[in-house]
């Protein structure tokens, strides 16, 4: 190529590199997204079939069905790896921000900052005017907050009806229809919330808090902004502690023997409030059927993070036991 008024001169390598990088990034974005969609369709079908059989008590699997199960598990691993790589690539700016949320009819919609699940129960206290406040948070700060609750052990009783009626008015609940509300089922409840939230909302982070914790949303937003470049962030007030083997103890751990002779938990974020990145929430959603839970939700989540090779971030501002200047949360 020649430039008028001068001799032969090649285009600068930087421009060629930029054009090629942009082209390959675009191709990679659509290719990976298409692969994710195809793998997801296969995975959803197989998982539904397994859930149907399990729900009907059909524990026996025929020899002919075994290859399908093996293929399903392989699809799980491939999809998880692809999604994790895609999220990491996006954080590095190598792939365009492709998703059904940002490239569909509402393509101008920005990704939310955080989805907050407020773990609550039937005995909670109602707060007047909260629905308008939550809607304002979503519109102005990109923060979605929902109360998370399961169903009554006596399905369809007055407790269930009260929640349904309240949610019809406020639309600020995540009601886990397949989960029975009970204190000993909190770990499963937390897992189901993270899986549901990762599928229902496209956000940078997903947080779980207890309903007796006050959160400073502005401080939370500032803190999370500092960790946007960490695709595997697991943020919280990190702790460990004694594993109780005595059934009379409040924090009794039925699986105490798995934690060794020292009877000490591995490092994990306090259950009052913790945050996981989008990639980790997606990974929990994909693998929820095989993720092991322990007696406590914070320990359960901590065990998953070890397997995911998450980046543990010990954030003192998420130690909610006492309120201090600059803190994000405080127990009420």
């Amino acid at each position: 190529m020649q430039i008028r008024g001068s001799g032969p001169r090649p285009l600068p390598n930087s421009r060629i590199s930029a054009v090629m990088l942009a082209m390959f990034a675009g191709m990679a974005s659509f290719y990976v997204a298409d692969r994710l969609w195809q793998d997801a369709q296969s995975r959803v079908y197989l998982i539904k079939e397994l859930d149907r059989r399990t729900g009907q008590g059909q524990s026996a699997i025929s020899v002919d069905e075994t290859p399908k199960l093996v293929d399903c598990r392989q699809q799980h691993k491939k999809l998880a790896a692809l999604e994790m790589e895609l999220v990491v690539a996006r954080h590095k700016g190598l792939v365009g921000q492709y998703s059904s949320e940002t490239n569909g009819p509402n393509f101008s919609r920005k990704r939310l900052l955080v989805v907050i699940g407020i773990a609550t129960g039937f005995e909670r206290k109602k707060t007047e005017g909260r629905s308008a406040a939550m809607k304002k948070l979503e519109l102005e700060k990109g923060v979605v907050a929902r109360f998370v609750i399961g169903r009554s052990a006596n399905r369809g009783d007055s407790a269930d009806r009260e929640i349904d009626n309240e949610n019809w008015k406020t639309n600020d609940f995540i009601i886990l229809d397949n989960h029975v509300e009970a204190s000993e089922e909190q770990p499963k409840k937390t897992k189901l919330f993270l899986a549901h939230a990762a599928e229902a909302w496209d956000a940078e982070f997903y947080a779980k808090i207890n309903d007796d914790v006050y959160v400073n949303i502005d401080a939370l937003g500032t803190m999370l902004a500092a960790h946007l470049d960490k695709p595997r962030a697991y943020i919280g007030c990190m702790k460990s502690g004694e594993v109780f083997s005595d059934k009379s103890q409040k924090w009794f751990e039925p699986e105490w023997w798995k934690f060794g002779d020292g009877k000490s938990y591995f490092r994990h974020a306090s259950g009052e409030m913790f945050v996981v990145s989008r990639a980790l929430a997606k990974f929990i959603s994909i693998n929820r059927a095989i993720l092991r839970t322990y007696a406590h939700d914070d320990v359960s989540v901590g065990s998953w993070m070890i397997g995911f090779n998450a980046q543990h971030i010990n954030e003192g501002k998420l130690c909610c036991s006492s309120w201090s200047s600059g803190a994000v949360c405080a127990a009420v």
Side-chain angles (χ1 to χ4, degrees):
M1 178 180 290
Q2 292 185 348
I3 304 298
R4 183 173 297 177
S6 64
R9 184 174 60 184
L11 284 172
N13 290 335
S14 59
R15 290 188 61 190
I16 297 176
S17 300
V19 172
M20 294 296 290
L21 180 59
M23 181 180 70
F24 285 125
M27 292 172 61
S29 175
F30 287 106
Y31 171 76
V32 174
D34 183 65
R35 284 291 305 279
L36 289 176
W37 184 86
Q38 293 181 26
D39 287 348
Q41 298 306 305
S42 300
R43 176 176 60 86
V44 168
Y45 170 78
L46 291 169
I47 289 175
K48 285 183 177 179
E49 183 65 18
L50 289 174
D51 289 344
R52 182 182 68 80
R53 289 176 175 272
T54 302
Q56 294 177 351
Q58 298 180 357
S59 58
I61 302 297
S62 69
V63 174
D64 292 338
E65 290 171 321
T66 301
K68 294 181 180 180
L69 298 183
V70 173
D71 181 63
C72 181
R73 298 184 190 281
Q74 291 176 342
Q75 291 284 353
H76 265 273
K77 294 179 180 179
K78 290 179 181 178
L79 183 60
L82 281 171
E83 288 197 338
M84 189 72 79
E85 291 174 6
L86 181 58
V87 172
V88 172
R90 282 174 176 165
H91 275 276
K92 293 181 179 179
L94 299 178
V95 180
Q97 295 290 332
Y98 176 90
S99 73
S100 59
E101 291 287 337
T102 55
N103 288 269
N106 301 321
F107 64 90
S108 62
R109 179 177 177 180
K110 293 182 179 180
R111 177 173 292 161
L112 296 166
L113 176 62
V114 60
V115 175
I116 302 174
I118 308 167
T120 191
F122 295 116
E123 70 288 349
R124 83 207 181 289
K125 295 180 180 180
K126 296 182 180 180
T127 304
E128 297 297 330
R130 68 167 189 261
S131 182
M134 287 183 172
K135 189 63 177 178
K136 185 177 181 181
L137 280 179
E138 182 174 349
L139 294 175
E140 296 182 0
K141 300 182 182 296
V143 175
V144 168
R146 295 289 187 272
F147 291 95
V148 183
I149 195 167
R151 287 299 189 182
S152 170
N154 301 312
R155 187 66 179 249
D157 64 7
S158 59
D160 275 349
R161 292 195 299 271
E162 184 179 348
I163 291 296
D164 287 333
N165 290 335
E166 187 174 351
N167 188 46
W168 183 82
K169 297 175 182 177
T170 62
N171 193 32
D172 57 7
F173 278 87
I174 294 174
I175 300 176
L176 304 172
D177 282 319
N178 297 322
H179 177 76
V180 176
E181 191 65 32
S183 58
E184 64 271 18
E185 297 296 328
Q186 183 63 40
K188 293 180 181 178
K189 179 178 178 179
T190 298
K191 178 172 66 173
L192 290 174
F193 155 66
L194 290 170
H196 172 83
E199 293 176 355
W201 289 281
D202 184 27
E204 299 288 354
F205 299 99
Y206 299 82
K208 175 262 174 179
I209 68 171
N210 294 335
D211 63 358
D212 60 352
V213 171
Y214 170 81
V215 178
N216 183 326
I217 295 297
D218 289 334
L220 175 63
T222 300
M223 184 204 73
L224 293 179
H227 300 300
L228 286 171
D229 60 338
K230 303 177 181 67
R232 299 186 186 187
Y234 169 43
I235 313 168
C237 181
M238 297 295 168
K239 65 175 186 176
S240 60
E242 180 181 357
V243 179
F244 292 100
S245 57
D246 186 350
K247 291 184 178 180
S248 65
Q249 292 283 349
K250 178 181 178 180
W251 305 112
F252 169 63
E253 172 58 71
E255 305 273 359
W256 59 267
W257 60 275
K258 290 185 177 181
F259 294 90
D261 296 335
K263 293 184 180 180
S264 179
Y265 286 119
F266 38 75
R267 192 70 66 181
H268 60 276
S270 170
E272 290 180 310
M273 180 174 186
F274 65 82
V275 182
V276 298
S277 67
R278 178 172 175 268
L280 295 180
K282 289 285 188 182
F283 208 77
I284 291 172
S285 177
I286 293 167
N287 294 283
R288 60 184 179 271
I290 58 174
L291 289 177
R292 179 73 171 81
T293 56
Y294 293 95
H296 314 296
D297 69 329
D298 52 359
V299 173
S300 299
V301 174
S303 70
W304 309 335
M305 295 302 110
I306 293 175
F308 296 165
N309 192 27
Q311 182 177 353
H312 288 58
I313 300 173
N314 184 21
E315 180 55 75
K317 294 178 181 179
L318 293 183
C319 295
C320 308
S321 57
S322 61
W323 187 258
S324 59
S325 178
V328 170
C329 61
V332 179

